[in-house]
């Protein structure tokens, strides 16, 4: 498991109680996400990984699972590394 994956899983697990969230499990389908939590998640990603989440990044598919969040972070950090 990558460091990014571990950080995302640790953050999400604080909100999901005893549920053992799997990397491909849909957090929206589970009913864990409301608008306030979605904002917290975006803020966490921006602050923890020093990236900016743009309006075009704010799609459900980018935040639906641990793996999709990790993929978004990896894409954004790769773009930053190229600059």
């Amino acid at each position: 498991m990558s460091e990014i994956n571990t950080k995302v899983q640790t953050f999400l697990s604080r909100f999901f109680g005893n549920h053992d969230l799997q990397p491909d499990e849909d957090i929206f389908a589970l009913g864990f996400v409301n608008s306030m939590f979605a904002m917290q998640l975006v803020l966490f990603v921006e602050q923890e990984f020093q990236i900016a989440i743009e309006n075009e990044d704010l799609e459900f598919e980018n935040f639906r699972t641990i793996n999709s969040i990790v993929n978004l972070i990896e894409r954004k950090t790769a773009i930053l590394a190229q600059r």
Side-chain angles (χ1 to χ4, degrees):
M1 186 179 299
S2 74
E3 181 180 351
I4 294 172
N5 194 306
T6 301
K7 287 181 178 182
V8 171
Q9 179 132 17
T10 300
F11 174 80
L12 292 174
S13 68
R14 295 189 331 214
F15 297 92
F16 296 162
N18 294 330
H19 184 79
D20 182 22
L21 188 64
Q22 299 303 305
D24 281 325
E25 204 165 9
D26 187 331
I27 63 175
F28 293 94
L30 292 172
F32 287 124
V33 180
N34 59 31
S35 58
M36 183 64 82
F37 177 75
M39 290 176 60
Q40 286 178 289
L41 179 56
V42 170
L43 264 168
F44 161 76
V45 168
E46 288 184 322
Q47 292 173 350
E48 184 68 34
F49 301 99
Q50 300 296 299
I51 57 176
I53 301 299
E54 310 293 339
N55 285 340
E56 60 267 15
D57 299 322
L58 295 174
E59 298 179 10
F60 284 123
E61 291 309 314
N62 286 331
F63 294 93
R64 194 171 294 284
T65 67
I66 291 172
N67 285 342
S68 61
I69 297 167
V70 169
N71 289 336
L72 172 66
I73 294 165
E74 288 173 344
R75 283 195 315 272
K76 300 291 280 186
T77 54
I79 290 168
L80 287 175
Q82 293 175 355
R83 292 184 180 166

